[in-house]
Every structure is written in structure tokens, then in C-alpha cells.
Amino acid sequence: MNETSTTSETTAVAAAASAVKPPQLRAARVRKQSIIKFVILFVTLAFLFVPLLAMLIFTLRHPLSGRWSAAPWIAIFTGNGESLGADLTVLWQGLGTSLALSVVTVVLMLLLMVPTMVIVHIRSKALERAIEWVATLPLTIPAIVLVVGLGPIYRWLSADVLNTNPIWLCFAYVILVMPFAFRAIAVGLNSIDVKTLVEASRSLGASWPKVFFRVIIPNLWQSILSASFISIAVVLGEYTVASLLGRMNLQVALYQLGQSNSQISTAMSLLALLFGVVLLVALDLISDAMRKSKEGK
């Protein structure tokens, strides 16, 4: 019996020793993983930034003469593109329209989505799933199909109710941003116990408006900011709906400007992309600041 137990113990110790890898092997494995991570990161960054670098070079180097010049950027920041044969009036008109559309779209989206999602989250899980299906439906429908359906509606609105001002594209843009806004707000609602907060507030005598604006909304600020910033990025980059409905926005203006001077159009596109990156970075910084402030309290 003693010999058997000794043999089993020796086998177990040998197996454990073989399971523990020497430090050299562990270090080699770590180096191999680091190399793989670096290669993946490098390929990903190259895939993202090489096209942007090519766009930047195109704005600085004349495609015919090969002469390097910062004239397209100077024209944008000075607002004078006549020397390059470009009328920047349409660009500023499209930019102003897109910025106004961003504000109106975000306001309408928040007024529509936030109260609806909060009420449904409290009252009915089954209805919440139905609203999720409806909200995410625009992701599966191509923009050109949406325009086919929205075209008759906008013709009627332009002729009989409103006018042809591009600001009324906000109704179509609310539909486009709904899937992204829904997901951002849903994450915030699922991260807090809404029912407990509502019941505690109501038991203390708070009215429904106070519960909504002083209890629920402060806990959803991060999600609301996420939904707003993503919506702004979508509106600034939208082209299909505005173009097919014959309305002017930033992307349509860039397309028209590209017919006369493609370098200025490309430079402005880079600035729009940079603005989107700044929005995302600002969202991350604001989220971190809000989380640290809550932890500090």
C-alpha cells in the first residue's frame, strides 16, 4: 500500500511539474502574443488611416501639375474659393443646413425616444421588445427604399402643409438615427433599476414629472449624450435621402462642389470626419468625467 501511494504521489508531482511551463517558454509565449497583437493593430490602423492619408495628399498635391500647395485649405478657412474656380456659397449653405438639421433631429429624437422607452421599460417588457423591433427596422431597409416611401409624403408636405426648406428632412433623419439612439438609451436603462427608483420616488410623494426629470434623466445623461452624438454624426454624413429628395445638406454640397474643385471638396470631407472623431472623443471624456464624479460622491 505504501509503495502504491508513493508511486501515485510521484506521478502526480511529475504531472504537476510538467504542467508548469519554464519561465523561458512563458516569456516566449508572451512575446509571440505581443507580436500578433502588434501586427493586428498595425493592419487595422493602416486599413483606417491609409485612405485618410491619401485624401490629405490629394488636397495638397495638384493632380495634373504635381505642384504641392495648401490653397484648398486656405480657401476653406478664408471662405474665398474664387481663385480656384469654386463657389463656396453652396458649401456654407449645406454646412449650415446640416448643423441645423443635427440640432432639430436630436431634439425630436430625444422627445420621442426617451419618454417612450422609459414608460415602456417600466410598464411592459413585451411592448419593449416590439418597440425595439420597430426602432431597429431602419437598419434592414436601404436608404433608397426609405426615400421611395417618403417621396410622396414629402411632396404632399411641401405642397400643402410646409415648404421645400431642407430643415424638414429632420422627420426622415429621426427614422435613420432611431436604431442607434435606441441602443444607446437601452443600455442606460438596463444599467439602472428604473422600477425601484420610480417606486421609491413615488412613495416619497414625488410627481411623475419630478420622477422623470430629477430621478431618471440624471441617471441617463451618459446614454442621452451617446445617442445625441451618434445622431449628429449620422446626420452630418447623410447623403442619399437629401440627394434623392432634392434637398441641400453638407454631403450634397460637397458633391456639387466636387464638380468644380475636388480638392476643396475632399478637404472639407476630411474636416467633417475630424469633427466626427472629435465628437466621439468628447463623448468618451464626458463619460469618464461623469463616472468619476459619481464615484467621488
Side-chain angles (χ1 to χ4, degrees):
M1 294 291 292
N2 291 334
E3 293 179 358
T4 304
S5 61
T6 303
T7 303
S8 62
E9 290 177 359
T10 304
T11 304
V13 171
S18 61
V20 177
K21 295 182 178 180
Q24 294 84 356
L25 294 179
R26 290 199 300 269
R29 184 179 180 182
V30 171
R31 284 196 299 270
K32 186 183 294 185
Q33 291 177 347
S34 300
I35 293 173
I36 294 174
K37 291 179 182 177
F38 174 79
V39 170
I40 294 175
L41 180 62
F42 178 80
V43 172
T44 303
L45 292 177
F47 179 79
L48 294 175
F49 287 105
V50 167
L52 299 181
L53 179 60
M55 292 175 66
L56 179 61
I57 294 174
F58 176 76
T59 62
L60 297 174
R61 183 175 182 272
H62 196 277
L64 298 178
S65 63
R67 183 173 56 88
W68 293 83
S69 173
W73 295 94
I74 296 174
I76 289 177
F77 289 108
T78 59
N80 183 13
E82 295 179 359
S83 60
L84 299 177
D87 183 12
L88 297 185
T89 304
V90 65
L91 176 62
W92 307 131
Q93 179 185 354
L95 179 60
T97 300
S98 288
L99 292 177
L101 276 169
S102 299
V103 175
V104 177
T105 301
V106 167
V107 172
L108 290 179
M109 178 272 297
L110 293 178
L111 291 177
L112 176 65
M113 298 293 293
V114 176
T116 303
M117 292 183 64
V118 170
I119 294 172
V120 171
H121 186 81
I122 296 172
R123 297 297 186 184
S124 173
K125 288 293 182 181
L127 188 57
E128 186 177 20
R129 286 191 292 271
I131 290 180
E132 180 179 5
W133 180 80
V134 173
T136 55
L137 192 60
L139 286 177
T140 64
I141 302 175
I144 191 169
V145 177
L146 285 174
V147 174
V148 171
L150 292 172
I153 298 175
Y154 268 90
R155 281 198 297 271
W156 171 73
L157 287 175
S158 301
D160 301 330
V161 181
L162 303 173
N163 52 40
T164 58
N165 194 306
I167 197 66
W168 306 121
L169 284 174
C170 61
F171 301 125
Y173 286 173
V174 168
I175 298 174
L176 293 179
V177 305
M178 228 180 351
F180 311 101
F182 178 89
R183 185 52 53 199
I185 298 172
V187 169
L189 287 174
N190 292 328
S191 64
I192 60 176
D193 192 348
V194 180
K195 288 186 178 181
T196 301
L197 290 174
V198 171
E199 291 173 358
S201 303
R202 294 290 291 166
S203 65
L204 293 174
S207 61
W208 280 108
K210 283 188 176 181
V211 171
F212 184 77
F213 289 106
R214 303 188 64 177
V215 177
I216 297 177
I217 293 298
N219 286 282
L220 290 179
W221 265 122
Q222 185 173 344
S223 298
I224 291 174
L225 286 176
S226 301
S228 301
F229 285 178
I230 293 173
S231 300
I232 291 172
V234 171
V235 172
L236 290 179
E238 201 287 317
Y239 170 78
T240 305
V241 175
S243 176
L244 294 179
L245 290 179
R247 305 299 197 273
M248 176 64 67
N249 69 352
L250 176 61
Q251 298 302 320
V252 175
L254 289 176
Y255 173 77
Q256 294 184 4
L257 183 62
Q259 307 302 308
S260 58
N261 192 300
S262 56
Q263 285 185 296
I264 296 180
S265 177
T266 304
M268 194 64 196
S269 299
L270 276 175
L271 289 178
L273 288 172
L274 180 62
F275 181 70
V277 172
V278 170
L279 280 181
L280 295 178
V281 173
L283 172 62
D284 187 57
L285 294 176
I286 293 173
S287 300
D288 288 342
M290 294 178 66
R291 184 173 63 255
K292 289 179 181 178
S293 64
K294 288 183 179 180
E295 292 175 355
K297 293 180 181 179

